Amino acid sequence: MNFDDIIYVLCLLSCVGAGKYVRKIEDESQRKLICTLFGLVVAFIVSGWHVLHCVISALLGALAVVYVHPSKTHLITFVIMFAYLAFFRLAHVFGFANPPGPTNMIQMVLTLKVSGVAFEKASSWKKLKQREQELSGTKTAEKELIEISDYDVELQSVDIFEIFQYSFNYIGVLTGPYYRYRTYRDYFETPFKYYAPCVETTVENLKYAAIYSVIYATVDYMWPLSYALSPEFNERSFIYRFWYIWPAFLIFRMRIYTGLCLSECVCNMAGFGAYPEESDATNGEGPRKQYLHLKRDADKRSYNFNTIVNIRVREVETCFTLREGMKHWNICVQYWLAVNIYRQFPSKKYRTGVTLLCSAYWHGFRPGHYFCLLGAACYVTVEDIWQKLVGKETTGLKRLIIDGMFWFAKSCIGYNYLGTAFMLVSFSNIWSFYSSIYHVGYIGWFLMLASGLVLTKRKTAISIKQK
């Protein structure tokens, strides 16, 4: 762990501790201002004057959200935020100093939040327009009129200062999780935070964060990734070199698990993202049912933090396929990608590819990101082919064996092999390591694809003959 990592973790822990005091502030306007100022201070501590990148991009995005017509605001804001993300990462090309790693995380979360407001505003405007047309008779009404909330109306008049405060709220400023502007507003306008099990949930998550950090430190000490690039590594047996992908990606997973757990603790202690069970809150989105009426007897409700849950570690580790594992990893970002990219993209044929490409772009421009994330898209394709071949209706011992094989393939190729590329970052490092194990992951993937296509074709031909 380098010096930047230590400062980063200390800032996260300070954000966790601040939640207890933030909840005690009675005046909501004062609470909101303090949350913003504290967020800016934390961002400055880990970034120095590089934090100006974050401030400038947030203001540019906010201007687009407020002044561009609602029918186009999501597209323009998206372009501005993602273009600035590119400029930020290529600062050295323009003669600027490269920002530190923690600033990159802040900029990444900021990109999603500001463009997310624009997508929310555009969606609400569309609903308002459709409702207006239905009521005026210029458009045939659906079986039920489109449901319009006060939030949809108020979102059309959101101002720059509100977006700025949302962007730099200390809760989530460092490493997420991503949450909607509605979730941010609810925190200051509802009493749920006073009755949620804040301390209990925080302590529980801190326990897991401690376990993950110990595993991370232990495995990183015993099997450091740098060893895989040393001349001595090539002298080891092939089995050892191939096996090394397991501890290598375990280090990465434990690092991510620790960070995401701590980021959830920041929300938990402040009571942020807490909603009554009756609201049916889901990860990233928040309540799916009417919930504002629950404020009247908030003290009689039971609460959860589903809205800000960003990872389900048990499911990631035990699920049988990579497609399922991806659903449980960085969940709130997955929600943003699903709602704003996957569902918005006009071509159904290319939705998955475009979404994964956007995810790779958001993560960075380094070759390792594309080897990993686009490789995952290819692996999922093969996985889907074989799922259809073996049949989901299989039961008993045969099903158990099939699931075990899928789990091993997911862990070996889907996680460890592709994930190692993500950590090695540069093309030269990736090529050097993959060459040392003779590119067996890609060879295995190709054989699985070829055999899967042949068997699918044969199965289809047999079913046609039987008809």
Side-chain angles (χ1 to χ4, degrees):
M1 185 177 288
N2 57 38
F3 182 73
D4 282 347
D5 287 338
I6 294 172
I7 297 297
Y8 194 73
V9 171
L10 289 176
C11 284
L12 270 175
L13 292 174
S14 69
C15 289
V16 174
K20 179 180 179 180
Y21 302 98
V22 166
R23 276 190 289 117
K24 294 180 180 179
I25 301 172
E26 295 182 1
D27 184 85
E28 296 297 349
S29 298
Q30 184 183 7
R31 187 204 309 270
K32 191 179 292 187
L33 183 61
I34 290 173
C35 286
T36 305
L37 292 175
F38 185 41
L40 286 168
V41 169
V42 169
F44 179 77
I45 290 173
V46 300
S47 307
W49 291 108
H50 293 288
V51 74
L52 289 174
H53 279 293
C54 305
V55 172
I56 292 169
S57 63
L59 290 175
L60 289 174
L63 285 168
V65 174
V66 173
Y67 291 110
V68 174
H69 191 272
S71 62
K72 297 289 189 295
T73 186
H74 58 305
L75 299 176
I76 301 301
T77 307
F78 176 87
V79 170
I80 288 173
M81 296 306 298
F82 276 79
Y84 198 97
L85 186 61
F87 167 74
F88 170 84
R89 286 170 172 160
L90 299 173
H92 60 282
V93 176
F94 301 95
F96 298 99
N98 278 325
T103 314
N104 180 55
M105 288 296 301
I106 296 172
Q107 189 66 44
M108 289 170 70
V109 175
L110 197 65
T111 298
L112 300 186
K113 289 171 80 171
V114 177
S115 54
V117 177
F119 276 103
E120 284 192 69
K121 183 177 180 180
S123 177
S124 294
W125 176 82
K126 186 177 180 181
K127 286 165 61 178
L128 291 167
K129 198 72 176 175
Q130 289 175 339
R131 179 68 174 271
E132 183 182 327
Q133 291 174 345
E134 289 174 354
L135 293 176
S136 64
T138 57
K139 180 180 178 181
T140 304
E142 305 289 340
K143 291 182 180 180
E144 294 182 7
L145 288 175
I146 294 174
E147 186 177 346
I148 302 296
S149 66
D150 291 340
Y151 176 71
D152 292 317
V153 177
E154 293 166 2
L155 196 54
Q156 303 309 306
S157 58
V158 63
D159 60 40
I160 294 174
F161 188 57
E162 270 289 310
I163 297 173
F164 187 83
Q165 288 188 305
Y166 163 64
S167 301
F168 289 98
N169 178 27
Y170 86 93
I171 301 172
V173 72
L174 283 177
T175 187
Y178 166 77
Y179 49 82
R180 297 175 61 192
Y181 178 64
R182 185 185 71 171
T183 305
Y184 170 78
R185 293 232 333 197
D186 284 344
Y187 178 67
F188 296 100
E189 296 177 2
T190 63
F192 303 145
K193 53 186 169 289
Y194 300 121
Y195 307 105
C198 301
V199 176
E200 297 88 338
T201 308
T202 302
V203 171
E204 187 68 17
N205 274 332
L206 281 175
K207 289 178 182 177
Y208 285 110
I211 293 170
Y212 301 143
S213 62
V214 169
I215 297 174
Y216 160 72
T218 303
V219 179
D220 187 44
Y221 176 77
M222 296 180 68
W223 299 285
L225 183 63
S226 57
Y227 180 67
L229 301 173
S230 66
E232 183 185 343
F233 183 75
N234 290 321
E235 298 174 5
R236 305 298 292 261
S237 68
F238 167 76
I239 293 176
Y240 181 86
R241 295 198 303 270
F242 181 72
W243 167 84
Y244 212 81
I245 62 176
W246 293 79
F249 194 59
L250 180 62
I251 293 169
F252 177 79
R253 293 207 306 281
M254 293 303 118
R255 182 187 176 96
I256 295 298
Y257 292 168
T258 302
L260 293 181
C261 272
L262 288 176
S263 68
E264 287 184 22
C265 288
V266 176
C267 300
N268 299 150
M269 185 59 84
F272 191 94
Y275 286 99
E277 295 280 358
E278 295 90 334
S279 67
D280 190 25
T282 59
N283 312 130
E285 181 177 357
R288 292 190 294 184
K289 295 180 179 178
Q290 293 291 336
Y291 62 98
L292 293 178
H293 65 283
L294 302 174
K295 293 190 294 183
R296 290 193 294 267
D297 52 356
D299 59 321
K300 299 177 182 178
R301 308 288 173 179
S302 56
Y303 295 85
N304 64 54
F305 287 92
N306 288 346
T307 300
I308 52 85
V309 169
N310 210 18
I311 192 164
R312 290 187 281 266
V313 174
R314 182 177 298 177
E315 285 77 2
V316 169
E317 296 293 337
T318 60
C319 67
F320 300 123
T321 64
L322 180 61
R323 180 179 290 279
E324 186 181 353
M326 290 167 63
K327 294 177 182 178
H328 302 294
W329 177 282
N330 215 356
I331 305 168
C332 295
V333 173
Q334 297 285 352
Y335 165 79
W336 188 95
L337 288 167
V339 170
N340 300 320
I341 305 298
Y342 184 84
R343 296 178 191 172
Q344 299 278 346
F345 197 74
S347 173
K348 292 183 178 180
K349 184 178 180 180
Y350 300 108
R351 279 179 176 176
T352 301
V354 169
T355 303
L356 285 168
L357 185 62
C358 180
S359 177
Y361 178 98
W362 179 73
H363 279 90
F365 299 150
R366 295 173 175 177
H369 301 149
Y370 293 85
F371 269 88
C372 177
L373 295 171
L374 296 184
C378 297
Y379 179 82
V380 165
T381 302
V382 176
E383 205 173 53
D384 290 343
I385 291 172
W386 278 94
Q387 283 276 29
K388 292 178 182 178
L389 279 172
V390 299
K392 293 183 179 180
E393 66 278 0
T394 309
T395 58
L397 180 60
K398 186 177 179 181
R399 179 76 260 173
L400 190 63
I401 293 172
I402 289 173
D403 287 340
M405 293 172 66
F406 270 101
W407 178 88
F408 181 79
K410 174 215 71 175
S411 301
C412 188
I413 299 177
Y415 282 2
N416 299 320
Y417 188 81
L418 295 174
T420 301
F422 194 96
M423 296 180 294
L424 291 171
V425 179
S426 69
F427 179 81
S428 59
N429 286 345
I430 295 168
W431 186 259
S432 174
F433 179 77
Y434 280 177
S435 295
S436 74
I437 54 176
Y438 312 115
H439 303 277
V440 292
Y442 289 127
I443 294 172
W445 173 84
F446 178 77
L447 292 175
M448 289 168 64
L449 174 63
S451 57
L453 290 174
V454 170
L455 291 173
T456 299
K457 187 176 180 180
R458 184 177 298 175
K459 186 177 181 181
T460 303
I462 292 172
S463 63
I464 292 174
K465 286 182 180 180
Q466 290 176 344
K467 290 180 180 179

